[in-house]
Amino acid sequence: MSLSNNVEGKGVVMTRFLAILFAICSGLAIGNLYWAQPLLVQIMTGFGLPAANGGLLVTATQIGYAIGIFFIVPLGDFVQRKRLISIVMILSVITLISCAFAPSFMILALSLLSMGIVTIIGQVILPLAGDLSSIEERGHIVGIVSSGITTGILFSRFASGIIAGFWGWRSVYLIAAVLNLAMALVIIYVLPDISSKNQLKSYKNLLFSVFTTFKRHKTLPRILLHSGLIFGLVFNIFWTSLTFLLSAAPFNYDTFQIGLVSLAGLTSAVFGLWIGKLQDRGLSVPALGAFIILSLITMICGLMFSSSIVAIVIVAAVFSVAVQGISVLSQARLFNLSNDERSRLNTVFVVSNFMFAAVGSALSSLLWSLGGWSYVMMGAGLISFAALIVWISSRSAFGEADNTLSS
């Protein structure tokens, strides 16, 4: 299939190479958020501090990411994207170097906070990919870039532990800085100049317009709810609690073994390459329902076969495909709502998922403390069922929106 499209008469062409480059760049950027997670004990030991304090580093990174999403990503609707992407990527390199050479815990926390703010480039690139794609191919392109993000999340968690085992945790951030610098240079060289879609008159009005997207797009809350319930709540409940399950009897897995199990999620990246085509072929509504049902089925299977590692790996792989399907289809539908607001719509999408994810992480600990894996799976199953009810009630609204779009 040819992936080319002239955008807004500017001669900018979306090619397969550019889509893959966007995927790699986005995956590398999102991976910066997760380098530290397997390294917390090693980092805290190096600073001579209790390991329990390591959670503050993750919190600092997440707070920075939330700040960057809200205050930087909306600029994609108003400024020259190549300049924005280049500046933010160079700043990411600087913050990664700062992390590598941080002399104290406080400096490292501030460096991670800063890195979180500027490592949002994947969320700038996704709307740009939507802008450069024709409506007939937009779902496929979004699927390719989303697969890159998923791969980046999983690979960074896995690779950082291995790298740190050989050369220490600081080497992880040095290597990440080199990779991000190389990618920044490639982007600066390859990415064409793309004129801004709007003229920025007031930054305050820009941020305010993020909130008013709900008023302009009536189906937006339903899109956010589908993604939030599955990608935000169920996803975080499952993967957080899976660590508890595998580290206890009868498995008693160490961190490396748990990391290997988490690689089952890579199946979602592979399937994500074609999931977006369902949107392009007008099948997004039934496909969304099918993926929600698949999520519900995997949670039931996780409850029934919790003592078998083979079953757990299969459940994790299939569930990851369901989550990726819901995420890609939701985001592709989101980008079809408007040609001029994709960065702001993506800001709302990511912030919503972030809020649901925070609740999901807390809920996983609560459910585990109440009844272990059984309560976790039952809770995740109930949430999946609630998402199915939302989908049933949304079919007519989505159908009307699709008819309006096609006309």
Side-chain angles (χ1 to χ4, degrees), residues 94 248 282 393:
I94 295 172
S393 67

Side-chain angles (χ1 to χ4, degrees), residues 177-196:
V178 172
L179 292 175
N180 277 265
L181 178 59
M183 182 55 64
L185 295 176
V186 171
I187 287 291
I188 291 172
Y189 179 76
V190 172
L191 189 64
D193 291 328
I194 305 166
S195 60
S196 59

